[in-house]
Each structure stands twice: as structure tokens, then as C-alpha cells.
Amino acid sequence: LLASPAEFQDLHGPPEPHVEIALHPPQGLHHSNPSEPWIYESDNATGSCLFFHPPAGPNTKEGPEGFDYAEYFRGKSRMWEMRVHMNFKNVPRDDEELFFGIELDQYVAMSQATKQAQKVVVAGIKQAIGGLYHSAGDDPDRTKEEVELPVCVLPLWAYDQFIVTPEGEEPPCLWDENFGDFGHKRYKRVAEYAEEIRELQRNLSIGPTYTFSFWGNSRFLDVINWMVIGLPI
């Protein structure tokens, strides 16, 4: 699909390449490298989110309070990052597990070649990160029972960093220059981090602010050029 920025002026997105994100329930169309984090609310949680990458032009160079997206990624192998604040309204039951990811709103038919390429990509991501659940969804024309929508999710331990801020205290802002120094990180301590995540899930509660950051598979997924790079396949 080829289009000029003028055709989408009413969406208030930047003219240079960017990622567009829609949340559920619908809360408008959001884009990457925003000047302010997005605010979201669902039946189970409220919070804010920041999705960012090296800028593709001058309109996506700066984030909140002048946060320099280009400078942040200088010298890093990651190609994008997502940070999330979350305050629970309802916490998962003991028999439920928390996942994060994306879900499409309808089934998308694919050719056999596309399906095969998708399988190769998913297998590579599973090998690199682990824990991935992916489904192309059920074709509603061939399924009589309830259909599964296309979905791709990861368990909570796939987040690369988490921070717990007690109720009444101010959590670190999502663009804090020292953000990487806070909380618990997965890098080079996977087993220990997995246990910390299990402890976190056992103690999720209403009140604290939970902050998560994810960049683990970003070195494989160029979201601006829509390319898969260097997967261990």
C-alpha cells in the first residue's frame, strides 16, 4: 500500500515511518516515539505505555520532556523498546497466568507460502526467547464452534525488566535517563530472574504500580522496515 502523509492528516501521526498501535478497548490510534506516553484503561488495569525506536525523521526525534530517542539507542543492539506502567483493578486468579502480546480483531487468510514463512519466523523467535504462544487463528468459514483470533503472546518472564513501586510512592517515569538501573533485569541472569517473576506473580495485588520493559526480540524484528533480521533458524 502506497500513500502520502497528506491522506492521513486527520490521524495526527508523524509523516516519517512509524509504528501505529490500537488498544482494546479502543482509545484512539497511537504511534511510536510519541511526545507523551499513551494512557490506557481496561476492565482489569490502568496505566501508561511508551513504544519507541531510533527516529526515522525530525518529527519522531524527541519524547516526553525532550527524551532523545536517537541518543538512547546509540550503541545498543536493540531496535525498539516498550515500557509499561500498570495498576491492577483486578488481579489474576491463582489458576490464571498473565501474558502480554497482540491479538488481531479478525481472521486473516494467508497463502501457503505466507503460512510457511510465518512458521519459520515463529520457530526462530521461540528458539531465541522461548515461551511464545502463536496462533494464526481459526477460519470462521470452516469452524462451527467459537473461533480463536490470530494471536501472539509471551509469558510475563519474557519482559526484560520489571519494577515494583509500593502504593503511595511515585514510580520511575518511562523516559527516566536512569530507567535501566531500576528494578530487576533478565540479562545474564535468566534462571534467577525467572524465579523473581514467579515470586512477582504470586504477589500481584491492587495498589502497587508495576513497571515492565521489553526489548528482547527487537534485535530480530525491524518494525520500521517490516523485516526479520538474524533469527537463529
Side-chain angles (χ1 to χ4, degrees), residues 134-223:
H134 171 268
S135 171
D138 298 323
D139 185 345
D141 294 332
R142 299 184 178 183
T143 306
K144 295 182 179 180
E145 300 178 355
E146 183 179 359
V147 299
E148 179 180 33
L149 293 173
V151 63
C152 184
V153 297
L154 288 159
L156 203 60
W157 56 259
Y159 272 115
D160 296 276
Q161 179 183 3
F162 76 88
I163 306 158
V164 181
T165 305
E167 185 175 11
E169 296 184 17
E170 191 70 23
C173 66
L174 298 178
W175 57 94
D176 192 303
E177 63 178 11
N178 298 312
F179 188 93
D181 298 329
F182 302 140
H184 306 260
K185 293 183 285 293
R186 180 180 177 180
Y187 183 62
K188 290 187 176 181
R189 49 189 303 274
V190 175
E192 184 179 357
Y193 183 78
E195 180 53 41
E196 291 169 349
I197 285 288
R198 284 191 286 271
E199 180 67 18
L200 171 71
Q201 292 190 103
R202 286 193 290 266
N203 293 283
L204 291 174
S205 61
I206 298 171
T209 299
Y210 299 95
T211 305
F212 300 97
S213 185
F214 178 66
W215 65 83
N217 68 351
S218 70
R219 65 190 186 277
F220 305 126
L221 303 176
D222 183 343
V223 294

Coordinates of all heavy atoms in Angstrom, one line a residue, residues 134-223:
H134 N 1.7 -18.7 19.7 CA 1.3 -18.1 18.5 C 0.2 -18.9 17.8 O 0.3 -20.1 17.8 CB 2.5 -17.9 17.5 CG 2.0 -17.4 16.1 ND1 1.7 -18.3 15.1 CD2 1.8 -16.2 15.6 CE1 1.3 -17.6 14.0 NE2 1.4 -16.3 14.3
S135 N -0.8 -18.2 17.3 CA -1.8 -18.9 16.5 C -2.2 -18.0 15.4 O -2.4 -16.8 15.6 CB -3.0 -19.3 17.4 OG -4.1 -19.7 16.6
A136 N -2.4 -18.6 14.2 CA -2.9 -17.9 13.0 C -4.4 -17.7 13.1 O -5.0 -17.0 12.3 CB -2.5 -18.6 11.7
G137 N -5.0 -18.3 14.1 CA -6.4 -18.1 14.3 C -7.2 -19.2 13.5 O -6.7 -19.9 12.7
D138 N -8.5 -19.2 13.8 CA -9.4 -20.2 13.1 C -10.2 -19.4 12.0 O -10.7 -18.3 12.2 CB -10.4 -20.7 14.1 CG -9.8 -21.5 15.2 OD1 -8.8 -22.2 14.9 OD2 -10.2 -21.4 16.4
D139 N -10.3 -20.1 10.9 CA -11.1 -19.6 9.8 C -12.6 -19.7 10.1 O -13.1 -20.8 10.3 CB -10.8 -20.4 8.5 CG -11.5 -19.8 7.3 OD1 -12.5 -19.0 7.4 OD2 -11.1 -20.2 6.2
P140 N -13.3 -18.6 10.3 CA -14.7 -18.7 10.7 C -15.6 -19.4 9.7 O -16.7 -19.9 10.1 CB -15.1 -17.2 10.9 CG -14.2 -16.5 10.0 CD -12.9 -17.2 10.1
D141 N -15.2 -19.5 8.5 CA -16.0 -20.2 7.4 C -15.8 -21.7 7.6 O -16.6 -22.5 7.0 CB -15.6 -19.7 6.0 CG -15.9 -18.3 5.8 OD1 -16.9 -17.8 6.4 OD2 -15.2 -17.6 5.0
R142 N -14.8 -22.2 8.3 CA -14.6 -23.6 8.5 C -14.7 -24.1 9.9 O -14.4 -25.2 10.2 CB -13.2 -23.9 7.9 CG -13.0 -23.6 6.4 CD -11.6 -24.0 6.0 NE -11.4 -23.7 4.6 CZ -10.3 -24.0 3.8 NH1 -9.3 -24.7 4.5 NH2 -10.2 -23.7 2.6
T143 N -15.1 -23.2 10.8 CA -15.2 -23.5 12.2 C -16.6 -23.3 12.7 O -17.1 -22.2 12.6 CB -14.2 -22.7 13.0 OG1 -12.9 -22.8 12.5 CG2 -14.2 -23.1 14.5
K144 N -17.2 -24.3 13.3 CA -18.6 -24.2 13.8 C -18.6 -23.7 15.2 O -19.6 -23.1 15.6 CB -19.3 -25.5 13.6 CG -19.5 -26.0 12.2 CD -20.3 -27.3 12.2 CE -20.5 -27.8 10.7 NZ -21.3 -29.1 10.6
E145 N -17.6 -24.0 16.0 CA -17.5 -23.6 17.4 C -16.9 -22.2 17.5 O -16.6 -21.6 16.5 CB -16.8 -24.7 18.2 CG -17.4 -26.0 18.1 CD -16.6 -27.1 18.9 OE1 -15.5 -26.7 19.4 OE2 -17.1 -28.2 19.0
E146 N -16.7 -21.8 18.7 CA -16.0 -20.5 19.0 C -14.7 -20.4 18.3 O -13.9 -21.4 18.5 CB -15.9 -20.2 20.5 CG -15.3 -18.9 20.8 CD -15.2 -18.6 22.3 OE1 -15.7 -19.5 23.1 OE2 -14.8 -17.5 22.7
V147 N -14.4 -19.4 17.6 CA -13.1 -19.3 16.8 C -12.0 -18.6 17.7 O -12.3 -17.7 18.5 CB -13.3 -18.5 15.5 CG1 -14.3 -19.2 14.6 CG2 -13.8 -17.1 15.8
E148 N -10.8 -19.0 17.5 CA -9.7 -18.3 18.1 C -9.2 -17.2 17.1 O -9.0 -17.5 15.9 CB -8.5 -19.2 18.4 CG -7.3 -18.6 19.0 CD -6.2 -19.5 19.3 OE1 -6.1 -20.5 18.6 OE2 -5.5 -19.3 20.3
L149 N -9.0 -16.0 17.6 CA -8.5 -14.9 16.7 C -6.9 -15.1 16.6 O -6.3 -15.7 17.4 CB -8.8 -13.6 17.4 CG -10.3 -13.2 17.4 CD1 -10.5 -11.9 18.2 CD2 -10.8 -13.0 16.0
P150 N -6.4 -14.5 15.6 CA -4.9 -14.5 15.4 C -4.3 -13.9 16.6 O -4.7 -12.7 17.0 CB -4.7 -13.7 14.1 CG -5.9 -13.9 13.3 CD -7.0 -13.9 14.4
V151 N -3.3 -14.5 17.2 CA -2.7 -14.0 18.5 C -1.2 -14.4 18.6 O -0.8 -15.4 18.0 CB -3.5 -14.6 19.7 CG1 -3.4 -16.1 19.7 CG2 -3.0 -14.0 21.0
C152 N -0.5 -13.5 19.2 CA 0.9 -13.8 19.5 C 1.3 -13.2 20.9 O 1.2 -12.0 21.1 CB 1.8 -13.2 18.4 SG 3.6 -13.6 18.6
V153 N 1.5 -14.1 21.9 CA 1.8 -13.6 23.2 C 3.0 -14.3 23.9 O 3.4 -15.4 23.4 CB 0.5 -13.9 24.1 CG1 -0.7 -13.1 23.6 CG2 0.2 -15.3 24.2
L154 N 3.5 -13.7 24.9 CA 4.6 -14.2 25.6 C 4.3 -14.1 27.1 O 3.5 -13.3 27.6 CB 5.8 -13.3 25.4 CG 6.5 -13.4 24.0 CD1 7.3 -12.2 23.7 CD2 7.4 -14.7 24.0
P155 N 4.9 -15.0 27.9 CA 4.6 -15.0 29.4 C 5.3 -13.8 30.0 O 6.2 -13.2 29.4 CB 5.3 -16.3 29.8 CG 6.3 -16.6 28.8 CD 5.8 -16.1 27.5
L156 N 5.0 -13.5 31.2 CA 5.5 -12.4 31.9 C 7.0 -12.4 32.0 O 7.6 -11.3 32.0 CB 4.8 -12.3 33.3 CG 4.8 -10.9 34.0 CD1 4.0 -9.9 33.1 CD2 4.2 -11.0 35.3
W157 N 7.6 -13.6 32.1 CA 9.0 -13.6 32.3 C 9.8 -13.2 31.0 O 11.0 -13.1 31.1 CB 9.5 -15.0 32.8 CG 9.1 -16.2 32.0 CD1 8.1 -17.1 32.3 CD2 9.7 -16.7 30.8 NE1 8.0 -18.0 31.4 CE2 9.0 -17.8 30.5 CE3 10.8 -16.2 30.0 CZ2 9.3 -18.6 29.3 CZ3 11.1 -17.0 28.9 CH2 10.4 -18.1 28.5
A158 N 9.1 -13.1 29.9 CA 9.8 -12.6 28.7 C 10.1 -11.1 28.7 O 10.9 -10.6 27.9 CB 8.9 -13.0 27.5
Y159 N 9.4 -10.4 29.6 CA 9.8 -9.0 29.8 C 11.2 -9.0 30.3 O 11.7 -9.8 31.0 CB 8.9 -8.3 30.9 CG 7.7 -7.7 30.3 CD1 6.4 -8.1 30.7 CD2 7.7 -6.6 29.5 CE1 5.2 -7.5 30.3 CE2 6.6 -6.0 29.0 CZ 5.3 -6.4 29.4 OH 4.2 -5.8 28.9
D160 N 12.0 -8.0 29.8 CA 13.4 -7.9 30.2 C 13.7 -7.2 31.5 O 14.8 -7.3 32.0 CB 14.2 -7.2 29.0 CG 14.1 -8.0 27.7 OD1 14.9 -8.9 27.6 OD2 13.2 -7.7 26.9
Q161 N 12.7 -6.5 32.0 CA 12.9 -5.7 33.2 C 11.6 -5.5 33.9 O 10.6 -5.3 33.2 CB 13.6 -4.4 32.9 CG 13.9 -3.5 34.0 CD 14.5 -2.1 33.6 OE1 14.6 -1.9 32.4 NE2 14.8 -1.3 34.5
F162 N 11.6 -5.5 35.2 CA 10.4 -5.1 35.9 C 10.7 -4.4 37.2 O 11.8 -4.6 37.8 CB 9.4 -6.3 36.2 CG 9.9 -7.2 37.3 CD1 9.5 -6.9 38.7 CD2 10.6 -8.3 37.1 CE1 9.9 -7.8 39.7 CE2 11.0 -9.2 38.1 CZ 10.7 -8.9 39.5
I163 N 9.8 -3.5 37.6 CA 10.0 -2.6 38.8 C 8.7 -2.7 39.5 O 7.6 -2.5 38.9 CB 10.3 -1.2 38.4 CG1 11.5 -1.1 37.4 CG2 10.6 -0.3 39.6 CD1 11.6 0.1 36.6
V164 N 8.7 -2.8 40.8 CA 7.5 -2.8 41.7 C 7.6 -1.5 42.6 O 8.6 -1.4 43.3 CB 7.3 -4.0 42.5 CG1 6.1 -3.9 43.3 CG2 7.3 -5.3 41.6
T165 N 6.6 -0.6 42.4 CA 6.6 0.6 43.3 C 5.4 0.5 44.2 O 4.3 0.4 43.8 CB 6.4 1.8 42.4 OG1 7.5 1.9 41.4 CG2 6.5 3.1 43.2
P166 N 5.7 0.5 45.5 CA 4.6 0.3 46.5 C 3.6 1.4 46.4 O 3.9 2.5 45.9 CB 5.3 0.5 47.9 CG 6.8 0.1 47.6 CD 7.0 0.6 46.2
E167 N 2.4 1.1 46.8 CA 1.3 2.1 46.7 C 1.6 3.3 47.5 O 2.2 3.3 48.6 CB 0.0 1.5 47.3 CG -1.2 2.3 47.2 CD -2.5 1.6 47.7 OE1 -2.4 0.6 48.3 OE2 -3.6 2.2 47.5
G168 N 1.3 4.5 46.9 CA 1.6 5.8 47.6 C 3.0 6.3 47.2 O 3.2 7.5 47.5
E169 N 3.8 5.6 46.6 CA 5.1 6.1 46.1 C 5.1 6.3 44.6 O 4.2 5.7 43.9 CB 6.2 5.1 46.4 CG 6.5 4.9 47.9 CD 7.6 3.9 48.2 OE1 8.5 3.7 47.2 OE2 7.7 3.4 49.3
E170 N 5.9 7.2 44.1 CA 5.9 7.6 42.7 C 6.8 6.6 41.9 O 8.0 6.4 42.2 CB 6.5 9.0 42.5 CG 6.3 9.6 41.1 CD 4.9 9.9 40.8 OE1 4.1 10.1 41.7 OE2 4.5 10.0 39.6
P171 N 6.3 5.9 40.9 CA 7.1 5.0 40.1 C 8.0 5.8 39.2 O 7.8 7.0 38.9 CB 6.1 4.3 39.2 CG 4.9 5.2 39.1 CD 4.9 6.0 40.4
P172 N 9.1 5.2 38.7 CA 10.0 6.0 37.8 C 9.3 6.3 36.5 O 8.5 5.5 36.0 CB 11.2 5.0 37.5 CG 10.6 3.6 37.8 CD 9.6 3.9 38.9
C173 N 9.5 7.5 36.0 CA 8.8 7.8 34.7 C 9.4 6.9 33.6 O 10.6 6.5 33.6 CB 8.9 9.3 34.4 SG 10.6 9.9 34.0
L174 N 8.6 6.7 32.6 CA 9.0 5.8 31.5 C 10.2 6.3 30.6 O 10.8 5.5 29.9 CB 7.8 5.5 30.6 CG 6.6 4.8 31.3 CD1 5.5 4.6 30.3 CD2 7.0 3.4 31.9
W175 N 10.5 7.5 30.8 CA 11.6 8.1 30.0 C 12.8 8.5 30.9 O 13.7 9.3 30.5 CB 11.1 9.3 29.2 CG 10.5 10.4 30.0 CD1 11.1 11.5 30.5 CD2 9.1 10.5 30.4 NE1 10.2 12.2 31.2 CE2 8.9 11.6 31.1 CE3 8.0 9.6 30.2 CZ2 7.7 12.0 31.7 CZ3 6.8 10.0 30.7 CH2 6.6 11.2 31.4
D176 N 12.8 8.1 32.1 CA 13.9 8.4 33.1 C 15.2 8.0 32.5 O 15.4 6.8 32.0 CB 13.6 7.7 34.4 CG 14.5 8.2 35.5 OD1 15.8 8.1 35.4 OD2 14.0 8.6 36.6
E177 N 16.2 8.9 32.5 CA 17.5 8.5 31.9 C 18.2 7.4 32.7 O 19.1 6.8 32.2 CB 18.4 9.8 31.9 CG 18.7 10.4 33.3 CD 19.6 11.6 33.2 OE1 19.8 12.1 32.1 OE2 20.1 12.0 34.3
N178 N 17.8 7.1 33.9 CA 18.4 6.0 34.7 C 17.5 4.8 34.8 O 17.7 4.0 35.6 CB 18.7 6.5 36.1 CG 19.7 7.7 36.1 OD1 20.7 7.6 35.5 ND2 19.4 8.7 36.9
F179 N 16.5 4.8 33.9 CA 15.5 3.7 33.9 C 16.1 2.3 34.0 O 15.7 1.4 34.7 CB 14.6 3.8 32.7 CG 13.4 2.9 32.7 CD1 12.2 3.3 33.3 CD2 13.5 1.6 32.2 CE1 11.1 2.4 33.3 CE2 12.4 0.7 32.2 CZ 11.2 1.2 32.8
G180 N 17.2 2.1 33.2 CA 17.8 0.8 33.1 C 18.5 0.3 34.4 O 18.9 -0.8 34.5
D181 N 18.6 1.2 35.3 CA 19.3 0.9 36.6 C 18.3 0.4 37.6 O 18.7 0.0 38.7 CB 20.0 2.1 37.2 CG 21.2 2.5 36.3 OD1 21.7 1.7 35.5 OD2 21.4 3.8 36.2
F182 N 17.0 0.5 37.4 CA 16.0 0.2 38.4 C 15.5 -1.2 38.3 O 15.5 -1.9 37.3 CB 14.7 1.1 38.2 CG 15.1 2.6 38.3 CD1 14.5 3.5 37.4 CD2 16.0 3.1 39.2 CE1 14.7 4.8 37.4 CE2 16.3 4.4 39.2 CZ 15.7 5.3 38.4
G183 N 15.0 -1.7 39.4 CA 14.3 -3.0 39.5 C 15.2 -4.2 39.2 O 16.3 -4.3 39.5
H184 N 14.5 -5.2 38.5 CA 15.1 -6.5 38.2 C 15.2 -6.6 36.7 O 14.3 -6.3 36.0 CB 14.2 -7.6 38.8 CG 13.9 -7.5 40.2 ND1 14.6 -8.2 41.2 CD2 13.0 -6.7 40.9 CE1 14.1 -7.8 42.4 NE2 13.1 -6.9 42.2
K185 N 16.4 -7.2 36.3 CA 16.6 -7.4 34.8 C 17.0 -8.8 34.5 O 17.6 -9.5 35.3 CB 17.8 -6.4 34.4 CG 17.4 -4.9 34.5 CD 18.5 -4.0 34.0 CE 19.6 -3.9 34.9 NZ 19.2 -3.2 36.2
R186 N 16.6 -9.2 33.3 CA 16.8 -10.6 32.9 C 18.2 -10.9 32.3 O 18.7 -12.0 32.4 CB 15.8 -10.9 31.8 CG 15.8 -12.3 31.2 CD 14.8 -12.4 30.1 NE 14.8 -13.8 29.5 CZ 14.0 -14.2 28.5 NH1 13.1 -13.4 28.1 NH2 14.1 -15.4 28.0
Y187 N 18.9 -9.9 31.8 CA 20.2 -10.0 31.1 C 21.2 -10.8 32.0 O 21.5 -10.4 33.1 CB 20.7 -8.7 30.7 CG 22.0 -8.7 29.9 CD1 22.0 -9.3 28.7 CD2 23.1 -8.1 30.4 CE1 23.2 -9.4 27.9 CE2 24.3 -8.1 29.7 CZ 24.3 -8.8 28.4 OH 25.5 -8.8 27.7
K188 N 21.7 -11.9 31.4 CA 22.7 -12.7 32.0 C 22.4 -13.3 33.4 O 23.3 -13.7 34.1 CB 24.1 -12.0 32.1 CG 24.7 -11.7 30.8 CD 26.1 -11.0 30.9 CE 26.7 -10.8 29.6 NZ 28.1 -10.2 29.7
R189 N 21.1 -13.4 33.7 CA 20.7 -14.0 35.0 C 19.3 -14.6 34.8 O 18.4 -14.4 35.6 CB 20.7 -13.0 36.1 CG 20.0 -11.7 35.8 CD 20.3 -10.6 36.9 NE 19.9 -11.0 38.2 CZ 18.6 -10.8 38.7 NH1 17.7 -10.3 37.9 NH2 18.3 -11.2 39.9
V190 N 19.1 -15.4 33.7 CA 17.8 -15.8 33.3 C 17.1 -16.7 34.4 O 15.9 -16.5 34.7 CB 17.9 -16.6 32.0 CG1 16.5 -17.3 31.6 CG2 18.4 -15.7 30.9
A191 N 17.8 -17.6 35.0 CA 17.2 -18.5 36.0 C 16.8 -17.8 37.2 O 15.7 -17.9 37.7 CB 18.2 -19.6 36.4
E192 N 17.7 -16.9 37.7 CA 17.3 -16.1 38.9 C 16.2 -15.1 38.6 O 15.3 -15.0 39.4 CB 18.6 -15.3 39.3 CG 18.3 -14.5 40.6 CD 19.6 -13.7 41.0 OE1 20.6 -13.8 40.3 OE2 19.5 -13.0 42.0
Y193 N 16.2 -14.6 37.4 CA 15.1 -13.6 37.0 C 13.8 -14.4 36.9 O 12.7 -13.9 37.3 CB 15.5 -13.0 35.7 CG 14.5 -12.0 35.2 CD1 14.4 -10.7 35.7 CD2 13.6 -12.3 34.1 CE1 13.5 -9.8 35.2 CE2 12.6 -11.4 33.7 CZ 12.6 -10.1 34.2 OH 11.7 -9.2 33.8
A194 N 13.8 -15.6 36.4 CA 12.5 -16.4 36.3 C 11.9 -16.6 37.6 O 10.7 -16.6 37.8 CB 12.8 -17.7 35.5
E195 N 12.8 -16.9 38.6 CA 12.3 -17.1 40.0 C 11.7 -15.8 40.5 O 10.7 -15.8 41.2 CB 13.4 -17.6 40.9 CG 12.9 -17.8 42.3 CD 11.7 -18.7 42.5 OE1 11.6 -19.7 41.7 OE2 10.8 -18.4 43.3
E196 N 12.3 -14.7 40.2 CA 11.8 -13.4 40.7 C 10.4 -13.1 40.0 O 9.6 -12.5 40.7 CB 12.8 -12.3 40.3 CG 14.1 -12.3 41.1 CD 15.2 -11.4 40.6 OE1 15.0 -10.9 39.5 OE2 16.2 -11.3 41.3
I197 N 10.3 -13.5 38.8 CA 9.0 -13.3 38.1 C 7.9 -14.2 38.7 O 6.8 -13.7 38.9 CB 9.1 -13.6 36.6 CG1 9.8 -12.4 35.9 CG2 7.7 -13.8 36.0 CD1 9.0 -11.1 35.8
R198 N 8.3 -15.4 39.1 CA 7.3 -16.3 39.7 C 6.9 -15.7 41.1 O 5.7 -15.8 41.4 CB 7.9 -17.7 39.9 CG 8.0 -18.5 38.6 CD 8.3 -20.0 38.9 NE 9.7 -20.1 39.3 CZ 10.7 -20.3 38.4 NH1 10.4 -20.5 37.1 NH2 12.0 -20.5 38.8
E199 N 7.8 -15.2 41.8 CA 7.5 -14.5 43.1 C 6.6 -13.3 42.9 O 5.7 -13.1 43.6 CB 8.8 -14.1 43.8 CG 8.6 -13.4 45.1 CD 8.0 -14.4 46.2 OE1 8.1 -15.6 46.0 OE2 7.5 -13.9 47.2
L200 N 6.9 -12.5 41.8 CA 6.1 -11.4 41.5 C 4.7 -11.8 41.2 O 3.7 -11.2 41.7 CB 6.7 -10.7 40.2 CG 5.8 -9.6 39.6 CD1 5.8 -8.3 40.5 CD2 6.3 -9.2 38.2
Q201 N 4.5 -12.9 40.4 CA 3.1 -13.3 40.0 C 2.4 -13.8 41.2 O 1.1 -13.7 41.3 CB 3.2 -14.4 38.9 CG 3.7 -13.8 37.6 CD 3.6 -14.8 36.5 OE1 2.7 -14.7 35.6 NE2 4.5 -15.8 36.4
R202 N 3.1 -14.4 42.2 CA 2.4 -14.9 43.4 C 1.9 -13.8 44.2 O 1.0 -14.0 45.1 CB 3.3 -15.8 44.2 CG 3.6 -17.2 43.6 CD 4.3 -18.1 44.6 NE 5.6 -17.7 44.8 CZ 6.7 -18.2 44.2 NH1 6.5 -19.1 43.2 NH2 7.9 -17.8 44.5
N203 N 2.5 -12.6 44.1 CA 2.1 -11.5 45.0 C 1.5 -10.3 44.2 O 1.5 -9.1 44.8 CB 3.4 -11.0 45.7 CG 3.9 -12.1 46.7 OD1 3.4 -12.2 47.8 ND2 4.9 -12.8 46.3
L204 N 1.0 -10.4 43.0 CA 0.4 -9.3 42.3 C -0.8 -8.9 43.2 O -1.6 -9.7 43.7 CB -0.1 -9.8 40.9 CG 1.0 -10.1 39.9 CD1 0.4 -10.6 38.6 CD2 1.8 -8.8 39.6
S205 N -1.0 -7.5 43.3 CA -2.1 -7.0 44.1 C -2.5 -5.7 43.6 O -1.8 -5.0 42.7 CB -1.6 -6.9 45.5 OG -0.5 -6.0 45.7
I206 N -3.7 -5.2 44.0 CA -4.2 -3.9 43.7 C -3.5 -2.9 44.6 O -3.5 -3.1 45.8 CB -5.7 -3.9 43.9 CG1 -6.4 -4.9 43.0 CG2 -6.3 -2.5 43.7 CD1 -7.9 -5.1 43.2
G207 N -3.0 -1.8 44.0 CA -2.3 -0.8 44.8 C -0.9 -0.4 44.3 O -0.7 0.7 43.9
P208 N 0.0 -1.4 44.2 CA 1.3 -1.1 43.7 C 1.3 -0.7 42.2 O 0.3 -1.1 41.5 CB 2.2 -2.3 43.9 CG 1.4 -3.1 45.0 CD 0.0 -2.8 44.8
T209 N 2.3 0.0 41.7 CA 2.5 0.2 40.3 C 3.5 -0.8 39.8 O 4.7 -0.8 40.3 CB 2.9 1.7 40.0 OG1 1.9 2.6 40.5 CG2 3.2 1.9 38.5
Y210 N 3.2 -1.5 38.8 CA 4.1 -2.5 38.2 C 4.6 -1.9 36.8 O 3.8 -1.5 36.0 CB 3.4 -3.8 37.9 CG 2.9 -4.5 39.2 CD1 1.6 -4.3 39.6 CD2 3.8 -5.2 40.0 CE1 1.1 -4.8 40.8 CE2 3.3 -5.8 41.1 CZ 2.0 -5.6 41.6 OH 1.6 -6.2 42.7
T211 N 5.9 -1.8 36.7 CA 6.5 -1.3 35.5 C 7.3 -2.4 34.8 O 8.1 -3.1 35.4 CB 7.5 -0.1 35.9 OG1 6.7 0.9 36.7 CG2 8.0 0.6 34.6
F212 N 7.1 -2.5 33.5 CA 7.7 -3.5 32.7 C 8.4 -2.9 31.5 O 7.9 -1.9 30.9 CB 6.7 -4.6 32.2 CG 6.0 -5.3 33.3 CD1 4.7 -4.8 33.7 CD2 6.6 -6.4 34.0 CE1 4.1 -5.5 34.8 CE2 5.9 -7.0 35.0 CZ 4.6 -6.6 35.4
S213 N 9.5 -3.5 31.1 CA 10.2 -3.1 29.8 C 10.5 -4.3 29.0 O 11.0 -5.3 29.5 CB 11.4 -2.3 30.2 OG 12.0 -1.8 29.0
F214 N 10.3 -4.2 27.7 CA 10.5 -5.3 26.8 C 11.3 -4.9 25.6 O 10.9 -3.9 24.9 CB 9.2 -5.9 26.4 CG 9.3 -7.1 25.4 CD1 9.8 -8.3 25.8 CD2 8.8 -6.9 24.1 CE1 9.9 -9.3 24.9 CE2 8.9 -8.0 23.2 CZ 9.4 -9.2 23.6
W215 N 12.4 -5.6 25.3 CA 13.2 -5.3 24.1 C 13.9 -6.6 23.5 O 14.5 -6.6 22.5 CB 14.3 -4.3 24.3 CG 15.3 -4.7 25.3 CD1 16.4 -5.5 25.0 CD2 15.4 -4.4 26.7 NE1 17.2 -5.7 26.2 CE2 16.5 -5.1 27.3 CE3 14.6 -3.7 27.6 CZ2 16.9 -5.0 28.6 CZ3 14.9 -3.7 28.9 CH2 16.1 -4.3 29.4
G216 N 13.6 -7.7 24.2 CA 14.4 -9.0 24.0 C 14.5 -9.4 22.5 O 15.5 -9.9 22.1
N217 N 13.3 -9.4 21.8 CA 13.4 -9.9 20.4 C 13.5 -8.8 19.4 O 13.4 -9.0 18.2 CB 12.1 -10.8 20.1 CG 10.8 -10.0 20.1 OD1 10.8 -8.8 20.5 ND2 9.8 -10.6 19.7
S218 N 13.7 -7.5 19.9 CA 13.7 -6.4 19.0 C 14.9 -6.4 18.0 O 14.8 -5.9 16.9 CB 13.7 -5.1 19.8 OG 15.0 -4.9 20.4
R219 N 16.0 -7.1 18.4 CA 17.1 -7.2 17.5 C 16.8 -8.0 16.3 O 17.6 -8.0 15.3 CB 18.3 -7.7 18.3 CG 18.2 -9.2 18.7 CD 19.4 -9.5 19.7 NE 19.4 -10.9 20.1 CZ 18.7 -11.4 21.1 NH1 17.8 -10.7 21.7 NH2 18.8 -12.7 21.4
F220 N 15.7 -8.8 16.3 CA 15.4 -9.6 15.2 C 14.3 -9.0 14.3 O 14.0 -9.4 13.2 CB 14.9 -11.0 15.7 CG 15.8 -11.7 16.5 CD1 15.4 -12.2 17.8 CD2 17.1 -12.0 16.1 CE1 16.3 -12.9 18.6 CE2 18.0 -12.7 16.9 CZ 17.6 -13.1 18.2
L221 N 13.5 -8.1 14.9 CA 12.3 -7.5 14.2 C 12.5 -6.0 14.0 O 12.4 -5.2 14.9 CB 11.1 -7.8 15.1 CG 10.8 -9.2 15.5 CD1 9.6 -9.3 16.4 CD2 10.6 -10.1 14.2
D222 N 12.7 -5.7 12.7 CA 12.8 -4.3 12.3 C 11.4 -3.8 12.0 O 10.9 -4.1 10.9 CB 13.7 -4.2 11.1 CG 13.9 -2.8 10.6 OD1 13.1 -1.9 11.0 OD2 14.8 -2.5 9.8
V223 N 10.8 -3.2 13.0 CA 9.4 -2.8 12.8 C 9.2 -1.7 11.9 O 8.0 -1.5 11.4 CB 8.8 -2.4 14.2 CG1 8.8 -3.7 15.1 CG2 9.5 -1.3 14.9

